[in-house]
Amino acid sequence: MPDRYAVIGNPVAHSKSPWIHAQFARATGQDIEYLRIEAPLDGFARTVDELRAAGGRGANVTLPFKEQAFRYCGALSARAQQARAVNTLLLERGAAYGDNTDGAGLLRDLTVNLGRTLAGERVLLMGAGGAAQGVLGPLVASGVARLVIANRTPERARSLAARFPAGPLEVCGYDELAGQSFDLVINATSAGLTGSLPALPDGLFRAGALAYDMLYGSDTAFLAFARAAGAATSDGSGMLVEQAAESFYLWRGVRPATAGVLAALRAA
Ligand code: ATR
């Protein structure tokens, strides 16, 4: 019997995680099965309990359940505590153990796959919702010279920032970005899902800047804006594959190679 894992979300039909983990399992010779489970919006805990009762060893958690997963767990990694959100469950020991591999996945994509050096960079993080919250800790710790969080609702950005050591962290509204420029601009808003884009000023990108959209698989209005402004661009496919690799490592103790899987995902 293969060890059972799953991705739990709602909706979850389009999740690439089952495919990614199947590639990892094949490449590393691990005997696992990986299911796709749509939990009812009011039934996350019940769904995890059922997976566990059926022998499930672990799960990835996606929208909108990452904060519920955080509350479900009896034990948490330091990075899950910092994010107050869980994307990876380990179900084999007594209490469910929760981790968050999103920030590590983003940093690995930026530094290894895209060859960026974050130390000393001026970074703008757009958004202060769940996606931003998951990656803020690792970004703060990465040695950036300046990390500005911009959000449509500035109060939400302020309360997110207040959870982290001040260091390079600043908060502002989009209308305060005029005259500022950045080496790296990360879109962690969900605006791209509706084809919209916060109003961004000209001159936002420094020479050699990268625009990174955490959404994957679509050319968002943000990436089109950045390209027109002369910036290099990337969607979030690499982050998706890297956070999955980090989850796989946590579950199986084996770190899968990611480059081939990422190339195949991009080509699909
Ligand atoms: P997620 O978990 O995907 O981050 P979320 O917690 O609902 O989802 O957060 C969505 C983020 O996208 C927020 O930062 C939101 O801004 P507000 O906090 O002001 O709501 C941002 N967002 C969504 N649509 C947007 C739009 N059209 N323009 C600007 N920001 C937008």
Side-chain angles (χ1 to χ4, degrees):
M1 270 270 287
D3 291 338
R4 177 174 291 184
Y5 298 87
V7 56
I8 302 173
N10 185 334
V12 80
H14 298 293
S15 171
K16 303 276 189 241
S17 293
W19 181 83
I20 293 170
H21 283 282
Q23 307 305 307
F24 289 165
R26 190 172 312 144
T28 58
Q30 295 284 309
D31 189 21
I32 70 165
E33 66 172 358
Y34 189 105
L35 313 174
R36 183 185 269 122
I37 301 176
E38 181 166 294
L41 290 175
D42 62 353
F44 173 75
R46 193 171 71 239
T47 301
V48 182
D49 289 344
E50 285 166 7
L51 174 66
R52 215 171 176 186
R57 308 271 303 256
N60 284 128
V61 180
T62 187
L63 293 178
F65 297 124
K66 291 182 186 181
E67 289 172 23
Q68 287 186 50
F70 172 76
R71 290 194 293 274
Y72 177 90
C73 290
L76 293 159
S77 69
R79 56 194 185 182
Q81 286 178 38
Q82 197 175 42
R84 296 188 194 165
V86 159
N87 81 331
T88 307
L89 293 171
L90 201 64
L91 300 171
E92 14 189 283
R93 301 178 198 133
Y97 177 80
D99 196 359
N100 192 318
T101 65
D102 284 332
L106 171 66
L107 257 65
R108 199 171 161 85
D109 191 33
L110 288 169
T111 59
V112 178
N113 300 335
L114 297 165
R116 306 290 303 190
T117 304
L118 294 178
E121 290 212 319
R122 303 167 203 202
V123 180
L124 172 63
L125 179 65
M126 296 161 49
Q133 166 180 332
V135 301
L136 191 54
L139 277 176
V140 169
S142 70
V144 296
R146 195 166 175 237
L147 178 55
V148 177
I149 307 176
N151 198 45
R152 183 174 56 184
T153 313
E155 184 44 42
R156 204 173 172 199
R158 272 194 289 276
S159 60
L160 176 59
R163 288 167 33 192
F164 293 83
L169 213 47
E170 298 166 46
V171 167
C172 73
Y174 292 110
D175 53 353
E176 296 168 287
L177 289 172
Q180 303 192 49
S181 61
F182 299 90
D183 303 296
L184 173 63
V185 180
I186 300 168
N187 185 14
T189 74
S190 51
L193 294 174
T194 56
S196 54
L197 173 70
L200 298 173
D202 291 336
L204 193 64
F205 300 99
R206 297 167 64 85
L210 174 69
Y212 191 98
D213 203 314
M214 284 172 56
L215 292 177
Y216 61 87
S218 61
D219 191 34
T220 59
F222 168 67
L223 293 182
F225 170 85
R227 222 170 19 245
T233 59
S234 177
D235 80 345
S237 297
M239 175 179 170
L240 176 72
V241 172
E242 296 298 344
Q243 62 78 29
E246 190 79 12
S247 296
F248 191 92
Y249 176 66
L250 188 74
W251 293 327
R252 310 300 301 179
V254 184
R255 193 173 284 284
T258 51
V261 176
L262 178 54
L265 180 69
R266 285 226 160 95

